Structures are given as C-alpha cells and as structure tokens.
Amino acid sequence: MGDKTDVWQGTLALMVLKTLETMGPQHGYGIARRIEQTSGDRLALNYGTLYPALLKLEQEGCIASEWGVSENNRRAKYYRLTRAGRKQIERAARDWERTTAILARFLAMEKPS
Amino acid sequence: MRLRAWLVRCVGAVSRDRSERELVAEIESHLQLHIDDNLRAGLPPDEARRAALIKFGPVEAIKQEYRDRGRLPAADALWLAIRHGFRRLYHDRWFTLTAAATLAVGIGANAAMFRLVDALMFRPPDHVRDPDRVVRVERAGNYVRYRDLAARSRTLDLAAYANVVEPWPRSRGPSARRRVRHGKLPAAARDADCPRERVRSRQ
C-alpha cells in the first residue's frame, strides 16, 4: 500500500457526493474510478466498499438511484444527487474546512527556541 | 435525516429478499463494467475478470456490511428468535395445545367469576334509580310491624318486606354499606336532607 491512504466512511461519503455533483448521474463503478483518479491514485479503495456508503447516502436521502443502461450497453444502477444531497455537501465541506484549518494551526506550532 | 434512514431500514427489514437480489445484480453489473474496461485495456479475459474481482475486494464481507446497513440487525435477530420460538411450539404440539388450553380455561374462569362477583356484589341493581339513597331497615320484625313502620314513617318510603336470612356476613359500623336484598325497591327518602339512619324495630 505504501503511502496510499485508507479511506474512512465520512470522507468517502463526501467524496461520493462531490463526484456526483461534478459528473452528474453515475453508476457505482464510475464513481469509484473517478474518486481514484481525482485522488491521483493515492487512495487505496476497494471498489466494493463504496456500496455500503452509497446505501447509507441513499437512506439518508442525499442520493437517489435507478437502473439504466451504460454507454457500452450494460445495465447499471445510476446514482444522482438530490437537493438534500447538495445541502449536505455544503454542510460537510464547511465542517471539513474548519477541521483542517484547526489542525493546520496545530501542525504549524513550533518549539520555542 | 437520521430518522429517515432509520425508517428506510425498518422497511428494509421486511423486504430483504428484494434488496438482496438488487445488490447481487448491482455487483454483477459493476464487475461487468470493470471487466469491459480491462478488456479494452488489452488484458486477456481471465485476467480481466480476476483483476476486477481483486479490485472489488471481499465480496461476502461487503455484502454483509451492506445487509447490516440495509436493515436493523437487532430487528433481524428478533425476527429469528420469534421464528425459532414458533418452530419449537410447533415441534412440541401437544405441550403447546395443553398449555394453551390451560391458559384459556384459566382466563375464561377468572373472567366469568369476575363478572359474576362484579354484577352481584359491586353494582347496584338495574331497577334502582337512586342507589345511594336506598336504606335497609334491619330487625324490622315481622310483617305486621313492617306495615306499621311503613304507615307511620315520615322519613322513609318503605316499599318492600323480606324475611330472609343473609347469605353472606353483613358489615357493621357507621360506614357499612346498606344493601337492598330483595324485591323491587324504588325506595328513596322523601326528604333529600334526611339522615339515612337505621330504623330499629324498638323505636
């Protein structure tokens, strides 16, 4: 795995939402590929782990799904962002920025010389 | 949002076969898309499928995680326990029938006794209009004496005479309940303010 980072649930959900926001409706495989590409292949992601996360988001009403046909004629379940999902992106992004800003201050601390 | 997720999971607990089939179809479709990509990238078919499976991760573990999220594990366990209970009951049929019959007879007998006691001892008779103004005159003596009392009493309407031996112990004391035992007794005090006292035979 080297320097690749494990993905944990909360961040994965936000990545999925953000991916759907930029790409529009997409199937699970497409989302997984896109997340990997966006991370610059620095994420070790078992594609399968995406599905429980998708189910959770769907239960929460952030995304909706329906079966469709892919560009190379394969049946696939497509997910799309809902209005609640867009709001959730804003909220989660704000939380995330706040957290990283706080953490950045700690990391920037220097030993008194 | 939490509430919504919880409700959806409650529904999921009921319709699990459908979601299970849907998940299998979705995984199959995912692998197919990945294999297509791998084939396009030039991998041989076997290798394409293998790579897709590896990248997907442990299918069974993911299915399990999906299932746990799709429903309420606790509700699942409860459902299993209930089914197990019914199977056991069906297995020991005679025991079940005996127990059920015992319970039925017990509950039935209790209910019947309760109705009987309630109707006889705790409720006023239907035909008495004002049960709390009805008094009983004890030791009124014989019927002739009763006729005298009825004619001369100014506080009471004496309406019935009974020469009956009480079948149950009577209570005494000032707060003792006065009970009408016999006959049709629409007896009520003439004057609402008159004290409801016992009228003794030797007045």
Side-chain angles (χ1 to χ4, degrees):
Chain A
M1 295 276 164
D3 61 345
K4 287 190 179 182
T5 334
D6 279 335
V7 194
W8 68 100
Q9 280 289 329
T11 18
L12 182 58
L14 182 53
M15 288 177 198
V16 168
L17 290 175
K18 199 69 194 169
T19 307
L20 284 176
E21 192 186 36
T22 48
M23 292 180 77
Q26 189 56 254
H27 45 67
Y29 174 67
I31 298 171
R33 282 309 281 262
R34 183 56 179 243
I35 286 177
E36 257 189 0
Q37 284 166 12
T38 311
S39 79
D41 287 328
R42 273 186 283 181
L43 278 177
L45 182 68
N46 267 340
Y47 289 171
T49 55
L50 201 65
Y51 288 93
L54 284 171
L55 178 62
K56 178 167 182 279
L57 284 171
E58 193 172 4
Q59 284 173 344
E60 288 172 351
C62 292
I63 57 176
S65 68
E66 65 189 337
W67 286 89
V69 180
S70 74
E71 55 270 34
N72 41 4
N73 249 349
R74 296 280 188 200
R75 251 168 65 77
K77 201 174 178 185
Y78 279 79
Y79 294 89
R80 64 178 170 77
L81 208 56
T82 64
R83 199 129 51 88
R86 280 176 215 288
K87 280 200 195 121
Q88 175 64 20
I89 290 179
E90 280 173 31
R91 207 176 312 133
R94 216 174 326 130
D95 287 351
W96 190 244
E97 273 160 15
R98 203 173 300 151
T99 311
T100 43
I102 292 169
L103 207 54
R105 282 164 177 261
F106 279 88
L107 295 177
M109 278 197 304
E110 281 173 22
K111 256 191 239 168
S113 47
Chain B
M1 208 111 80
R2 290 252 171 75
L3 178 69
R4 187 198 142 104
W6 199 80
L7 284 176
V8 172
R9 287 171 78 166
C10 282
V11 174
V14 180
S15 64
R16 58 172 136 183
D17 287 347
R18 201 180 62 88
S19 69
E20 183 82 26
R21 253 180 289 135
E22 189 145 333
L23 174 63
V24 170
E26 191 170 8
I27 291 176
E28 196 45 52
S29 130
H30 173 109
L31 291 174
Q32 205 49 253
L33 287 166
H34 199 169
I35 291 167
D36 287 351
D37 269 5
N38 286 348
L39 288 174
R40 237 172 290 140
L43 287 178
D46 282 1
E47 190 56 28
R49 182 162 185 87
R50 213 175 70 85
L53 278 168
I54 289 173
K55 189 63 196 161
F56 190 85
V59 176
E60 277 312 313
I62 286 159
K63 270 191 193 168
Q64 188 55 47
E65 196 186 333
Y66 193 94
R67 268 182 228 128
D68 288 349
R69 192 170 285 294
R71 329 181 203 124
L72 301 168
D76 252 21
L78 180 68
W79 177 235
L80 278 180
I82 290 172
R83 287 213 325 216
H84 176 73
F86 273 103
R87 265 205 308 277
R88 295 289 311 170
L89 287 178
Y90 184 73
H91 185 73
D92 294 334
R93 247 159 299 177
W94 287 110
F95 173 79
T96 307
L97 280 177
T98 313
T102 310
L103 279 173
V105 169
I107 292 170
N110 265 300
M113 273 320 277
F114 176 79
R115 272 192 61 91
L116 199 67
V117 169
D118 185 52
L120 283 181
M121 301 182 67
F122 296 122
R123 286 185 196 282
D126 287 339
H127 45 268
V128 177
R129 212 183 319 122
D130 246 344
D132 53 340
R133 298 178 71 188
V134 173
V135 297
R136 156 213 193 100
V137 180
E138 287 185 353
R139 299 199 204 146
N142 58 27
Y143 186 64
V144 177
R145 201 161 235 330
Y146 160 75
R147 296 285 303 185
D148 280 354
L149 265 176
R152 299 222 297 263
S153 168
R154 287 187 298 144
T155 52
L156 298 169
D157 277 329
L158 293 192
Y161 171 81
N163 194 4
V164 179
V165 178
E166 278 282 335
W168 48 68
R170 62 177 72 128
S171 42
R172 299 197 174 272
S175 66
R177 200 187 157 99
R178 292 156 187 142
R179 204 184 302 279
V180 174
R181 260 292 288 137
H182 212 267
K184 294 190 173 178
L185 292 181
R190 232 180 247 145
D191 185 346
D193 293 330
C194 79
R196 286 178 284 139
E197 282 174 84
R198 295 179 175 192
V199 180
R200 296 194 175 273
S201 56
R202 276 181 258 278
Q203 271 174 313

